Amino acid sequence: TRDIPNCPAGWDSMWAGFSFIMHTAAGAEGSGQALASPGSCLEEFRFIPFIECHGRGTCNYYTDSYSYWLATLNPSTMFRKPEPQTLKSNYHHNIISRCRVCMKQ
């Protein structure tokens, strides 16, 4: 959903964000997050949310990496064949599902 969910009674909000699933890197590399993990709710949306840092004090940003995010669905069309689309700048707020990380009081 595009709506940011509320925390259940007896829980405090830590942050709200965007529902991140996984990313890929060069070759067969990549990693993901369980949707129940706080690591799957990133506070800011970035098309490529990660950089790779090395032990020698340098970091690289790879433009051939891909990230996968949980998308919102229109209930009236959710079982139809998906239509390809190109997202314009700042339109991601309308299609990427929102999330909230909560902590028990």
Side-chain angles (χ1 to χ4, degrees):
T1 178
R2 285 185 280 179
D3 300 326
I4 299 172
N6 294 318
C7 291
W11 293 69
D12 291 326
S13 175
M14 301 297 289
W15 69 82
F18 296 89
S19 299
F20 173 74
I21 299 175
M22 66 175 285
H23 76 97
T24 61
E29 295 181 22
S31 67
Q33 291 286 331
L35 290 176
S37 164
S40 71
C41 187
L42 301 183
E43 289 185 79
E44 295 183 27
F45 177 86
R46 297 186 188 279
F47 289 102
I48 302 173
F50 298 102
I51 60 174
E52 181 180 315
C53 294
H54 311 283
R56 58 185 181 273
T58 60
C59 296
N60 292 333
Y61 168 79
Y62 296 104
T63 58
D64 62 347
S65 298
Y66 293 98
S67 61
Y68 297 88
W69 301 81
L70 192 63
T72 60
L73 295 175
N74 180 339
S76 64
T77 60
M78 68 171 43
F79 296 108
R80 293 186 187 158
K81 182 179 179 183
E83 295 181 17
Q85 58 182 319
T86 300
L87 298 180
K88 303 293 183 196
S89 179
N90 291 324
Y91 185 73
H92 63 274
H93 292 286
N94 294 323
I95 199 166
I96 304 300
S97 184
R98 300 303 304 267
C99 55
R100 181 178 303 276
V101 174
C102 304
M103 180 175 73
K104 191 164 181 141
Q105 295 175 345

